[in-house]
Amino acid sequence: MQPRERAADLLDVLRTGPFEAALDSAVRASGLSLERIQHRLAERGVEISVTTLSYWRRGRSRPERPQSRQAVRLLEELLGIPTDGLVSLLGPRRPRGRWVNRDSEVLETERLWREFGSLPELLAELGSTDDGLLRVAAHDSYELDARGAGARLTTRLTLKATRDRVDRCVVVLRGEDPDRALPEFAGVRNARLGRLRSDRSVPLVVAELFLDRTLSEGGTTLIEYSLRFPENGRRAEECGRGFHAPALLYTLEVAFHPDAVPVRCLRCSTAAVTGEPLSAEPVWISAADRVHAVFENPGPGFRALRWEWQ
């Protein structure tokens, strides 16, 4: 499409909407990458992640918070859009409060992992923090050893591309013990292991998994990977997964060793990876020393099983 045609298309979509179509058209017409747009917003004092910009552009979420609305005002300026050209397409802010569903929000990396200050730098070393993949469904199977420490974690992910030319998945893994060696990948299916970055003091690992094929927008794939934990770790007290955006299903299984079975287990949801639970419900530990939780339509935040040792 020629520049003049792009400009005409942008004017049309600014009149009719929706917001995501207008934003997408404006970004295309500007020729700027989302990373460049994020940088220019940051220069003006507004911190918005590339992931959030991508989801606004694809209609996966809408700007709701005051800072987000401020970012939209600056986007109008950066992208050469008339004042209120984008803001007018948002309409009034949605109701907010304890009983309002917030699942349409995208939770930025800094908020989801707010107590892990080294994570943004680790992600930056791998390039863009937005891998262009929606976690449609996730299944974690966690095994503990006779001392109650983590022994193995097997993860299965159903992924959907939110843009074209998606070829990798970025995984963030949190260890349990800074004095213990970091977990190692024991196997990867439908992908291959790329770069690894870590912070032993947390401990925290960021891994790059290259998909077996490049996905176009809307394309799906399934990947699986297993992690093996070194021996002699401290007792684990939880296992869970953080979600930046709404998913359809998260299933979590934990298998305890017969010699180390907790006295109580809770199904928890928190706003971030660390923090007090927003909700906590007792979960039955079976006669086979196993427990599971199914989270349907989990919104952004952290979903986990937590247990107590005697």
Side-chain angles (χ1 to χ4, degrees):
M1 184 180 294
Q2 298 299 316
R4 183 175 298 178
E5 294 174 330
R6 289 178 181 171
D9 178 68
L10 176 57
L11 290 175
D12 287 341
V13 76
L14 284 173
R15 285 193 291 266
T16 62
F19 169 81
E20 59 269 21
L23 178 58
D24 180 61
S25 182
V27 171
R28 291 178 185 274
S30 73
L32 297 173
S33 67
L34 293 185
E35 287 80 5
R36 187 59 182 165
I37 292 172
Q38 179 203 34
H39 178 71
R40 292 191 178 182
L41 289 174
E43 288 180 336
R44 291 163 172 79
V46 175
E47 298 289 343
I48 297 292
S49 71
V50 172
T51 301
T52 297
L53 291 172
S54 177
Y55 275 92
W56 289 354
R57 187 180 179 185
R58 302 301 178 187
R60 293 298 308 173
S61 69
R62 291 168 67 86
E64 291 291 335
R65 296 181 295 116
Q67 185 187 39
S68 298
R69 295 262 172 156
Q70 181 185 358
V72 174
R73 295 274 186 197
L74 287 176
L75 281 172
E76 292 173 348
E77 177 185 339
L78 292 175
L79 301 176
I81 297 173
T83 302
D84 292 335
L86 289 175
V87 171
S88 63
L89 296 174
L90 290 173
R93 290 185 64 197
R94 296 172 181 171
R96 310 293 290 180
R98 181 179 179 186
W99 306 111
V100 176
N101 186 347
R102 300 188 180 196
D103 287 356
S104 62
E105 290 281 348
V106 171
L107 192 59
E108 298 173 10
T109 299
E110 293 79 5
R111 292 174 60 198
L112 180 61
W113 297 83
R114 60 191 177 198
E115 292 189 16
F116 298 82
S118 61
L119 180 59
E121 182 177 348
L122 297 179
L123 289 169
E125 291 182 16
L126 297 185
S128 172
T129 58
D130 176 20
D131 60 14
L133 290 168
L134 176 66
R135 277 62 173 168
V136 177
H139 186 151
D140 287 330
S141 181
Y142 188 49
E143 302 172 31
L144 285 79
D145 63 21
R147 301 175 66 253
R152 191 178 186 91
L153 173 67
T154 300
T155 294
R156 301 174 184 88
L157 296 176
T158 302
L159 305 170
K160 182 177 181 179
T162 61
R163 52 179 165 82
D164 289 334
R165 298 185 296 279
V166 173
D167 63 359
R168 66 170 189 157
C169 176
V170 176
V171 177
V172 180
L173 307 165
R174 179 184 55 158
E176 298 156 348
D177 184 353
D179 298 325
R180 189 185 193 189
L182 293 169
E184 298 179 350
F185 279 84
V188 179
R189 187 168 66 89
N190 296 337
R192 61 182 175 83
L193 186 61
R195 294 172 293 176
L196 295 173
R197 297 293 184 269
S198 63
D199 179 356
R200 292 290 302 274
S201 66
V202 176
L204 201 63
V205 179
V206 177
E208 183 179 54
L209 301 178
F210 287 105
L211 307 180
D212 280 353
R213 62 189 179 90
T214 300
L215 301 179
S216 299
E217 183 175 357
T220 59
T221 189
L222 305 174
I223 68 171
E224 178 179 315
Y225 58 85
S226 294
L227 294 172
R228 182 175 55 245
F229 293 81
E231 297 180 356
N232 301 321
R234 68 173 61 161
R235 276 186 164 183
E237 296 181 344
E238 73 170 9
C239 181
R241 175 169 294 273
F243 291 89
H244 292 276
L248 293 181
L249 185 69
Y250 175 44
T251 306
L252 172 58
E253 299 177 280
V254 178
F256 300 104
H257 192 280
D259 294 337
V261 181
V263 296
R264 184 170 180 248
C265 188
L266 297 173
R267 177 185 189 272
C268 300
S269 296
T270 61
V273 174
T274 56
E276 293 299 318
L278 300 173
S279 64
E281 305 169 6
V283 179
W284 178 258
I285 302 174
S286 74
D289 304 322
R290 290 176 173 267
V291 66
H292 80 277
V294 176
F295 298 88
E296 297 183 26
N297 303 308
F302 189 65
R303 306 292 182 271
L305 286 169
R306 293 179 176 176
W307 49 87
E308 299 174 4
W309 302 103
Q310 188 156 16

